[in-house]
Amino acid sequence: MAKALFGHVVAPAELRVVEENAVLRAKVRRLEQELLELRAQRDAAIAHELLSLAGDNAEPALA
């Protein structure tokens, strides 16, 4: 009954795995955010390059 009140007793090896999992998940979140930022920078650079290639006579695509 004590285990039911206090929850499952976790072995030290399991705690290490849980902590490592949390660290890895945080790292994945940071890398995903960095990837989004890099993609946004790349897209902005491509758009800028396309606009500079079009020059002053750029017209809307559906005009």
Short mmCIF file of all heavy atoms in Angstrom, two decimals:
data_model
loop_
_atom_site.label_atom_id
_atom_site.label_comp_id
_atom_site.label_asym_id
_atom_site.label_seq_id
_atom_site.Cartn_x
_atom_site.Cartn_y
_atom_site.Cartn_z
N MET A 1 0.82 -1.19 0.00
CA MET A 1 0.00 0.00 0.00
C MET A 1 0.86 1.25 0.00
O MET A 1 0.48 2.26 -0.59
CB MET A 1 -0.91 -0.01 1.23
CG MET A 1 -1.71 1.23 1.37
SD MET A 1 -3.42 0.83 1.49
CE MET A 1 -4.09 2.39 1.88
N ALA A 2 2.01 1.18 0.63
CA ALA A 2 2.90 2.36 0.66
C ALA A 2 3.33 2.73 -0.75
O ALA A 2 3.42 3.91 -1.09
CB ALA A 2 4.10 2.07 1.55
N LYS A 3 3.62 1.73 -1.59
CA LYS A 3 4.01 2.02 -2.96
C LYS A 3 2.87 2.71 -3.71
O LYS A 3 3.11 3.59 -4.53
CB LYS A 3 4.42 0.75 -3.70
CG LYS A 3 5.80 0.27 -3.37
CD LYS A 3 6.17 -0.89 -4.28
CE LYS A 3 7.56 -1.40 -3.96
NZ LYS A 3 7.95 -2.48 -4.85
N ALA A 4 1.67 2.32 -3.43
CA ALA A 4 0.52 2.94 -4.09
C ALA A 4 0.40 4.40 -3.67
O ALA A 4 0.03 5.25 -4.48
CB ALA A 4 -0.75 2.18 -3.75
N LEU A 5 0.71 4.72 -2.42
CA LEU A 5 0.62 6.09 -1.94
C LEU A 5 1.76 6.96 -2.45
O LEU A 5 1.58 8.11 -2.78
CB LEU A 5 0.60 6.11 -0.41
CG LEU A 5 -0.65 5.49 0.25
CD1 LEU A 5 -0.47 5.44 1.76
CD2 LEU A 5 -1.88 6.30 -0.12
N PHE A 6 2.95 6.41 -2.50
CA PHE A 6 4.13 7.19 -2.88
C PHE A 6 4.53 7.01 -4.34
O PHE A 6 5.44 7.66 -4.83
CB PHE A 6 5.31 6.83 -1.98
CG PHE A 6 5.09 7.24 -0.56
CD1 PHE A 6 4.87 6.29 0.42
CD2 PHE A 6 5.09 8.57 -0.20
CE1 PHE A 6 4.65 6.66 1.73
CE2 PHE A 6 4.88 8.96 1.10
CZ PHE A 6 4.66 8.01 2.08
N GLY A 7 3.87 6.13 -5.05
CA GLY A 7 4.21 5.91 -6.45
C GLY A 7 5.28 4.85 -6.60
O GLY A 7 5.84 4.35 -5.64
N HIS A 8 5.56 4.54 -7.83
CA HIS A 8 6.54 3.52 -8.15
C HIS A 8 7.94 4.01 -7.80
O HIS A 8 8.32 5.11 -8.13
CB HIS A 8 6.46 3.19 -9.65
CG HIS A 8 7.49 2.22 -10.10
ND1 HIS A 8 7.47 0.90 -9.75
CD2 HIS A 8 8.57 2.39 -10.90
CE1 HIS A 8 8.50 0.29 -10.31
NE2 HIS A 8 9.18 1.17 -11.02
N VAL A 9 8.71 3.17 -7.14
CA VAL A 9 10.09 3.50 -6.80
C VAL A 9 10.93 3.24 -8.05
O VAL A 9 10.93 2.15 -8.59
CB VAL A 9 10.58 2.65 -5.61
CG1 VAL A 9 12.04 2.95 -5.33
CG2 VAL A 9 9.73 2.91 -4.39
N VAL A 10 11.64 4.26 -8.49
CA VAL A 10 12.40 4.18 -9.73
C VAL A 10 13.86 3.87 -9.41
O VAL A 10 14.45 4.46 -8.52
CB VAL A 10 12.30 5.51 -10.50
CG1 VAL A 10 13.08 5.44 -11.80
CG2 VAL A 10 10.85 5.86 -10.76
N ALA A 11 14.42 2.93 -10.15
CA ALA A 11 15.82 2.58 -9.99
C ALA A 11 16.70 3.73 -10.49
O ALA A 11 16.29 4.48 -11.39
CB ALA A 11 16.12 1.31 -10.76
N PRO A 12 17.90 3.90 -9.95
CA PRO A 12 18.79 4.98 -10.39
C PRO A 12 19.08 4.94 -11.89
O PRO A 12 19.19 5.99 -12.53
CB PRO A 12 20.07 4.74 -9.59
CG PRO A 12 19.63 3.99 -8.37
CD PRO A 12 18.45 3.17 -8.82
N ALA A 13 19.20 3.76 -12.46
CA ALA A 13 19.46 3.65 -13.90
C ALA A 13 18.28 4.22 -14.69
O ALA A 13 18.47 4.87 -15.71
CB ALA A 13 19.71 2.20 -14.28
N GLU A 14 17.06 3.97 -14.21
CA GLU A 14 15.88 4.51 -14.88
C GLU A 14 15.84 6.04 -14.77
O GLU A 14 15.45 6.72 -15.72
CB GLU A 14 14.61 3.92 -14.29
CG GLU A 14 14.41 2.45 -14.63
CD GLU A 14 13.13 1.90 -14.03
OE1 GLU A 14 12.12 2.62 -14.02
OE2 GLU A 14 13.16 0.75 -13.57
N LEU A 15 16.24 6.57 -13.64
CA LEU A 15 16.27 8.02 -13.47
C LEU A 15 17.26 8.65 -14.45
O LEU A 15 16.99 9.71 -15.03
CB LEU A 15 16.66 8.39 -12.04
CG LEU A 15 15.59 8.21 -10.98
CD1 LEU A 15 16.15 8.53 -9.60
CD2 LEU A 15 14.41 9.11 -11.28
N ARG A 16 18.40 8.02 -14.63
CA ARG A 16 19.41 8.52 -15.56
C ARG A 16 18.86 8.56 -16.98
O ARG A 16 19.05 9.52 -17.71
CB ARG A 16 20.67 7.65 -15.50
CG ARG A 16 21.82 8.18 -16.35
CD ARG A 16 23.04 7.29 -16.28
NE ARG A 16 22.76 5.88 -16.55
CZ ARG A 16 22.61 5.36 -17.78
NH1 ARG A 16 22.68 6.12 -18.83
NH2 ARG A 16 22.39 4.07 -17.93
N VAL A 17 18.14 7.51 -17.36
CA VAL A 17 17.55 7.45 -18.69
C VAL A 17 16.49 8.54 -18.86
O VAL A 17 16.42 9.21 -19.90
CB VAL A 17 16.95 6.05 -18.97
CG1 VAL A 17 16.14 6.04 -20.25
CG2 VAL A 17 18.06 5.01 -19.03
N VAL A 18 15.69 8.75 -17.84
CA VAL A 18 14.66 9.79 -17.89
C VAL A 18 15.30 11.17 -18.02
O VAL A 18 14.86 12.00 -18.82
CB VAL A 18 13.75 9.71 -16.64
CG1 VAL A 18 12.86 10.94 -16.53
CG2 VAL A 18 12.92 8.45 -16.68
N GLU A 19 16.36 11.42 -17.25
CA GLU A 19 17.05 12.70 -17.32
C GLU A 19 17.70 12.89 -18.69
O GLU A 19 17.62 13.97 -19.27
CB GLU A 19 18.10 12.80 -16.22
CG GLU A 19 17.51 12.93 -14.84
CD GLU A 19 18.56 12.84 -13.74
OE1 GLU A 19 19.76 12.66 -14.06
OE2 GLU A 19 18.18 12.93 -12.58
N GLU A 20 18.33 11.86 -19.21
CA GLU A 20 18.97 11.94 -20.51
C GLU A 20 17.92 12.19 -21.60
O GLU A 20 18.14 12.98 -22.53
CB GLU A 20 19.73 10.66 -20.81
CG GLU A 20 20.52 10.69 -22.10
CD GLU A 20 21.34 9.44 -22.32
OE1 GLU A 20 21.68 8.75 -21.35
OE2 GLU A 20 21.63 9.14 -23.49
N ASN A 21 16.78 11.54 -21.47
CA ASN A 21 15.69 11.74 -22.43
C ASN A 21 15.21 13.20 -22.42
O ASN A 21 14.98 13.79 -23.47
CB ASN A 21 14.54 10.79 -22.10
CG ASN A 21 13.51 10.72 -23.19
OD1 ASN A 21 13.72 11.21 -24.28
ND2 ASN A 21 12.37 10.12 -22.87
N ALA A 22 15.09 13.78 -21.23
CA ALA A 22 14.66 15.17 -21.12
C ALA A 22 15.68 16.11 -21.76
O ALA A 22 15.31 17.06 -22.46
CB ALA A 22 14.44 15.53 -19.66
N VAL A 23 16.96 15.83 -21.55
CA VAL A 23 18.02 16.66 -22.14
C VAL A 23 17.98 16.55 -23.66
O VAL A 23 18.08 17.56 -24.37
CB VAL A 23 19.40 16.24 -21.59
CG1 VAL A 23 20.53 16.87 -22.38
CG2 VAL A 23 19.51 16.60 -20.12
N LEU A 24 17.81 15.34 -24.16
CA LEU A 24 17.77 15.14 -25.61
C LEU A 24 16.54 15.80 -26.23
O LEU A 24 16.62 16.39 -27.32
CB LEU A 24 17.82 13.65 -25.94
CG LEU A 24 19.15 12.97 -25.66
CD1 LEU A 24 19.02 11.46 -25.87
CD2 LEU A 24 20.26 13.53 -26.52
N ARG A 25 15.40 15.74 -25.56
CA ARG A 25 14.20 16.40 -26.07
C ARG A 25 14.40 17.91 -26.14
O ARG A 25 13.97 18.56 -27.10
CB ARG A 25 12.99 16.07 -25.20
CG ARG A 25 12.47 14.67 -25.40
CD ARG A 25 11.27 14.40 -24.49
NE ARG A 25 10.87 13.03 -24.52
CZ ARG A 25 9.96 12.54 -25.35
NH1 ARG A 25 9.36 13.33 -26.20
NH2 ARG A 25 9.64 11.26 -25.31
N ALA A 26 15.04 18.47 -25.12
CA ALA A 26 15.30 19.91 -25.13
C ALA A 26 16.25 20.27 -26.27
O ALA A 26 16.07 21.29 -26.94
CB ALA A 26 15.90 20.34 -23.79
N LYS A 27 17.25 19.44 -26.50
CA LYS A 27 18.19 19.69 -27.60
C LYS A 27 17.48 19.62 -28.94
O LYS A 27 17.72 20.46 -29.83
CB LYS A 27 19.32 18.67 -27.55
CG LYS A 27 20.41 18.92 -28.54
CD LYS A 27 21.58 17.96 -28.33
CE LYS A 27 22.73 18.29 -29.26
NZ LYS A 27 23.90 17.45 -29.03
N VAL A 28 16.58 18.67 -29.11
CA VAL A 28 15.81 18.55 -30.35
C VAL A 28 14.96 19.80 -30.55
O VAL A 28 14.88 20.34 -31.66
CB VAL A 28 14.94 17.27 -30.35
CG1 VAL A 28 13.92 17.30 -31.46
CG2 VAL A 28 15.83 16.04 -30.47
N ARG A 29 14.32 20.30 -29.49
CA ARG A 29 13.51 21.52 -29.59
C ARG A 29 14.37 22.70 -30.03
O ARG A 29 13.96 23.49 -30.89
CB ARG A 29 12.81 21.83 -28.27
CG ARG A 29 11.57 21.00 -28.03
CD ARG A 29 10.75 21.55 -26.86
NE ARG A 29 11.49 21.57 -25.62
CZ ARG A 29 11.56 20.55 -24.76
NH1 ARG A 29 10.93 19.42 -25.03
NH2 ARG A 29 12.26 20.65 -23.66
N ARG A 30 15.57 22.84 -29.44
CA ARG A 30 16.46 23.93 -29.83
C ARG A 30 16.88 23.80 -31.29
O ARG A 30 16.92 24.79 -32.03
CB ARG A 30 17.70 23.96 -28.93
CG ARG A 30 17.46 24.50 -27.54
CD ARG A 30 18.75 24.79 -26.80
NE ARG A 30 19.68 23.66 -26.79
CZ ARG A 30 19.72 22.69 -25.89
NH1 ARG A 30 18.84 22.71 -24.90
NH2 ARG A 30 20.60 21.73 -25.96
N LEU A 31 17.21 22.59 -31.72
CA LEU A 31 17.63 22.38 -33.11
C LEU A 31 16.49 22.63 -34.08
O LEU A 31 16.71 23.18 -35.17
CB LEU A 31 18.19 20.96 -33.27
CG LEU A 31 19.54 20.71 -32.60
CD1 LEU A 31 19.88 19.22 -32.66
CD2 LEU A 31 20.62 21.54 -33.24
N GLU A 32 15.28 22.23 -33.71
CA GLU A 32 14.12 22.50 -34.57
C GLU A 32 13.89 23.99 -34.71
O GLU A 32 13.59 24.48 -35.81
CB GLU A 32 12.87 21.81 -34.02
CG GLU A 32 12.87 20.31 -34.21
CD GLU A 32 11.70 19.62 -33.54
OE1 GLU A 32 11.10 20.20 -32.61
OE2 GLU A 32 11.38 18.49 -33.96
N GLN A 33 14.05 24.74 -33.62
CA GLN A 33 13.88 26.19 -33.66
C GLN A 33 14.96 26.82 -34.54
O GLN A 33 14.68 27.71 -35.35
CB GLN A 33 13.93 26.78 -32.25
CG GLN A 33 13.70 28.28 -32.21
CD GLN A 33 12.34 28.68 -32.76
OE1 GLN A 33 11.34 28.00 -32.53
NE2 GLN A 33 12.30 29.77 -33.49
N GLU A 34 16.20 26.35 -34.39
CA GLU A 34 17.29 26.85 -35.22
C GLU A 34 17.03 26.55 -36.70
O GLU A 34 17.28 27.40 -37.57
CB GLU A 34 18.61 26.22 -34.78
CG GLU A 34 19.82 26.75 -35.52
CD GLU A 34 21.12 26.12 -35.05
OE1 GLU A 34 21.14 25.51 -33.96
OE2 GLU A 34 22.12 26.24 -35.77
N LEU A 35 16.51 25.38 -36.99
CA LEU A 35 16.19 25.02 -38.37
C LEU A 35 15.13 25.95 -38.95
O LEU A 35 15.25 26.42 -40.09
CB LEU A 35 15.71 23.56 -38.43
CG LEU A 35 15.32 23.03 -39.80
CD1 LEU A 35 16.50 23.06 -40.75
CD2 LEU A 35 14.77 21.62 -39.67
N LEU A 36 14.09 26.26 -38.17
CA LEU A 36 13.06 27.19 -38.63
C LEU A 36 13.64 28.56 -38.92
O LEU A 36 13.30 29.19 -39.93
CB LEU A 36 11.95 27.30 -37.58
CG LEU A 36 11.03 26.09 -37.44
CD1 LEU A 36 10.08 26.30 -36.26
CD2 LEU A 36 10.26 25.86 -38.71
N GLU A 37 14.54 29.03 -38.05
CA GLU A 37 15.16 30.34 -38.25
C GLU A 37 16.03 30.34 -39.51
O GLU A 37 16.00 31.29 -40.30
CB GLU A 37 15.98 30.73 -37.02
CG GLU A 37 15.13 31.01 -35.80
CD GLU A 37 15.95 31.14 -34.53
OE1 GLU A 37 17.20 31.08 -34.60
OE2 GLU A 37 15.34 31.29 -33.46
N LEU A 38 16.81 29.28 -39.71
CA LEU A 38 17.66 29.20 -40.89
C LEU A 38 16.84 29.12 -42.17
O LEU A 38 17.19 29.74 -43.19
CB LEU A 38 18.60 28.00 -40.78
CG LEU A 38 19.70 28.12 -39.73
CD1 LEU A 38 20.45 26.80 -39.58
CD2 LEU A 38 20.66 29.24 -40.08
N ARG A 39 15.74 28.40 -42.14
CA ARG A 39 14.88 28.32 -43.31
C ARG A 39 14.27 29.68 -43.62
O ARG A 39 14.14 30.07 -44.79
CB ARG A 39 13.78 27.28 -43.10
CG ARG A 39 14.28 25.87 -43.26
CD ARG A 39 13.17 24.87 -43.07
NE ARG A 39 13.64 23.52 -43.36
CZ ARG A 39 13.00 22.43 -43.02
NH1 ARG A 39 11.85 22.51 -42.38
NH2 ARG A 39 13.50 21.24 -43.30
N ALA A 40 13.86 30.41 -42.59
CA ALA A 40 13.29 31.74 -42.80
C ALA A 40 14.34 32.67 -43.39
O ALA A 40 14.03 33.45 -44.31
CB ALA A 40 12.76 32.30 -41.49
N GLN A 41 15.56 32.59 -42.90
CA GLN A 41 16.65 33.42 -43.46
C GLN A 41 16.91 33.05 -44.91
O GLN A 41 17.10 33.93 -45.76
CB GLN A 41 17.93 33.24 -42.64
CG GLN A 41 17.87 33.85 -41.27
CD GLN A 41 19.12 33.53 -40.45
OE1 GLN A 41 20.06 32.90 -40.94
NE2 GLN A 41 19.12 33.94 -39.20
N ARG A 42 16.93 31.77 -45.21
CA ARG A 42 17.16 31.32 -46.58
C ARG A 42 16.05 31.81 -47.50
O ARG A 42 16.31 32.32 -48.59
CB ARG A 42 17.23 29.79 -46.62
CG ARG A 42 17.46 29.25 -48.04
CD ARG A 42 17.04 27.83 -48.19
NE ARG A 42 15.61 27.72 -47.92
CZ ARG A 42 15.02 26.58 -47.61
NH1 ARG A 42 15.70 25.47 -47.53
NH2 ARG A 42 13.72 26.53 -47.38
N ASP A 43 14.80 31.67 -47.06
CA ASP A 43 13.68 32.11 -47.88
C ASP A 43 13.72 33.62 -48.13
O ASP A 43 13.43 34.08 -49.23
CB ASP A 43 12.35 31.72 -47.23
CG ASP A 43 12.13 30.21 -47.21
OD1 ASP A 43 12.87 29.49 -47.92
OD2 ASP A 43 11.23 29.76 -46.48
N ALA A 44 14.10 34.39 -47.10
CA ALA A 44 14.21 35.84 -47.26
C ALA A 44 15.33 36.18 -48.25
O ALA A 44 15.17 37.08 -49.08
CB ALA A 44 14.47 36.49 -45.91
N ALA A 45 16.44 35.47 -48.17
CA ALA A 45 17.55 35.72 -49.09
C ALA A 45 17.15 35.38 -50.53
O ALA A 45 17.48 36.11 -51.47
CB ALA A 45 18.78 34.91 -48.67
N ILE A 46 16.43 34.29 -50.71
CA ILE A 46 15.98 33.90 -52.05
C ILE A 46 15.00 34.95 -52.60
O ILE A 46 15.10 35.36 -53.75
CB ILE A 46 15.33 32.51 -52.03
CG1 ILE A 46 16.40 31.44 -51.79
CG2 ILE A 46 14.58 32.22 -53.32
CD1 ILE A 46 15.85 30.05 -51.55
N ALA A 47 14.08 35.40 -51.77
CA ALA A 47 13.12 36.41 -52.20
C ALA A 47 13.85 37.70 -52.57
O ALA A 47 13.54 38.33 -53.59
CB ALA A 47 12.09 36.68 -51.09
N HIS A 48 14.82 38.09 -51.78
CA HIS A 48 15.59 39.29 -52.07
C HIS A 48 16.34 39.14 -53.39
O HIS A 48 16.37 40.07 -54.21
CB HIS A 48 16.57 39.58 -50.92
CG HIS A 48 17.44 40.76 -51.17
ND1 HIS A 48 16.95 42.05 -51.16
CD2 HIS A 48 18.76 40.86 -51.45
CE1 HIS A 48 17.94 42.88 -51.42
NE2 HIS A 48 19.06 42.19 -51.61
N GLU A 49 16.95 37.99 -53.60
CA GLU A 49 17.69 37.73 -54.84
C GLU A 49 16.75 37.78 -56.05
O GLU A 49 17.08 38.38 -57.08
CB GLU A 49 18.38 36.38 -54.76
CG GLU A 49 19.20 36.02 -55.99
CD GLU A 49 20.44 36.89 -56.16
OE1 GLU A 49 20.90 37.47 -55.18
OE2 GLU A 49 20.92 36.97 -57.31
N LEU A 50 15.58 37.18 -55.94
CA LEU A 50 14.63 37.20 -57.04
C LEU A 50 14.15 38.61 -57.36
O LEU A 50 14.01 38.99 -58.52
CB LEU A 50 13.44 36.29 -56.74
CG LEU A 50 13.74 34.79 -56.74
CD1 LEU A 50 12.51 34.01 -56.26
CD2 LEU A 50 14.18 34.33 -58.11
N LEU A 51 13.90 39.39 -56.31
CA LEU A 51 13.47 40.77 -56.53
C LEU A 51 14.58 41.60 -57.16
O LEU A 51 14.32 42.44 -58.02
CB LEU A 51 13.01 41.40 -55.22
CG LEU A 51 11.68 40.90 -54.67
CD1 LEU A 51 11.41 41.48 -53.29
CD2 LEU A 51 10.54 41.23 -55.63
N SER A 52 15.81 41.35 -56.77
CA SER A 52 16.91 42.11 -57.36
C SER A 52 17.14 41.70 -58.80
O SER A 52 17.53 42.53 -59.63
CB SER A 52 18.19 41.93 -56.54
OG SER A 52 18.68 40.61 -56.65
N LEU A 53 16.89 40.45 -59.15
CA LEU A 53 17.03 40.01 -60.54
C LEU A 53 15.93 40.60 -61.42
O LEU A 53 16.15 40.88 -62.60
CB LEU A 53 16.98 38.48 -60.62
CG LEU A 53 18.19 37.73 -60.09
CD1 LEU A 53 17.93 36.23 -60.12
CD2 LEU A 53 19.44 38.07 -60.89
N ALA A 54 14.75 40.80 -60.86
CA ALA A 54 13.64 41.34 -61.62
C ALA A 54 13.86 42.82 -61.93
O ALA A 54 13.36 43.32 -62.94
CB ALA A 54 12.33 41.15 -60.85
N GLY A 55 14.58 43.50 -61.08
CA GLY A 55 14.87 44.91 -61.31
C GLY A 55 13.66 45.80 -61.10
O GLY A 55 12.73 45.47 -60.36
N ASP A 56 13.66 46.93 -61.79
CA ASP A 56 12.59 47.93 -61.61
C ASP A 56 11.33 47.59 -62.37
O ASP A 56 10.27 48.13 -62.10
CB ASP A 56 13.09 49.31 -62.04
CG ASP A 56 14.18 49.84 -61.13
OD1 ASP A 56 14.20 49.43 -59.96
OD2 ASP A 56 15.00 50.64 -61.60
N ASN A 57 11.42 46.73 -63.36
CA ASN A 57 10.24 46.43 -64.18
C ASN A 57 9.48 45.21 -63.69
O ASN A 57 8.81 44.56 -64.47
CB ASN A 57 10.64 46.27 -65.64
CG ASN A 57 11.67 45.17 -65.82
OD1 ASN A 57 12.11 44.57 -64.86
ND2 ASN A 57 12.07 44.91 -67.05
N ALA A 58 9.56 44.90 -62.42
CA ALA A 58 8.87 43.76 -61.86
C ALA A 58 7.36 44.00 -61.89
O ALA A 58 6.88 45.06 -61.54
CB ALA A 58 9.32 43.50 -60.44
N GLU A 59 6.63 43.00 -62.33
CA GLU A 59 5.18 43.07 -62.37
C GLU A 59 4.60 41.91 -61.58
O GLU A 59 5.22 40.85 -61.48
CB GLU A 59 4.68 42.98 -63.82
CG GLU A 59 5.12 44.13 -64.70
CD GLU A 59 4.59 43.98 -66.11
OE1 GLU A 59 3.72 43.12 -66.34
OE2 GLU A 59 5.07 44.71 -66.98
N PRO A 60 3.40 42.08 -61.03
CA PRO A 60 2.76 40.97 -60.32
C PRO A 60 2.53 39.79 -61.28
O PRO A 60 2.30 39.98 -62.48
CB PRO A 60 1.44 41.54 -59.82
CG PRO A 60 1.61 43.02 -59.88
CD PRO A 60 2.62 43.31 -60.95
N ALA A 61 2.60 38.60 -60.78
CA ALA A 61 2.47 37.41 -61.60
C ALA A 61 1.08 37.30 -62.24
O ALA A 61 0.94 36.76 -63.33
CB ALA A 61 2.76 36.16 -60.77
N LEU A 62 0.06 37.80 -61.60
CA LEU A 62 -1.30 37.67 -62.11
C LEU A 62 -1.79 38.92 -62.83
O LEU A 62 -2.97 39.06 -63.09
CB LEU A 62 -2.24 37.32 -60.97
CG LEU A 62 -1.93 36.00 -60.25
CD1 LEU A 62 -2.88 35.80 -59.08
CD2 LEU A 62 -2.04 34.83 -61.22
N ALA A 63 -0.90 39.83 -63.17
CA ALA A 63 -1.32 41.09 -63.82
C ALA A 63 -1.70 40.87 -65.27
O ALA A 63 -1.30 40.02 -65.94
CB ALA A 63 -0.22 42.13 -63.73
#
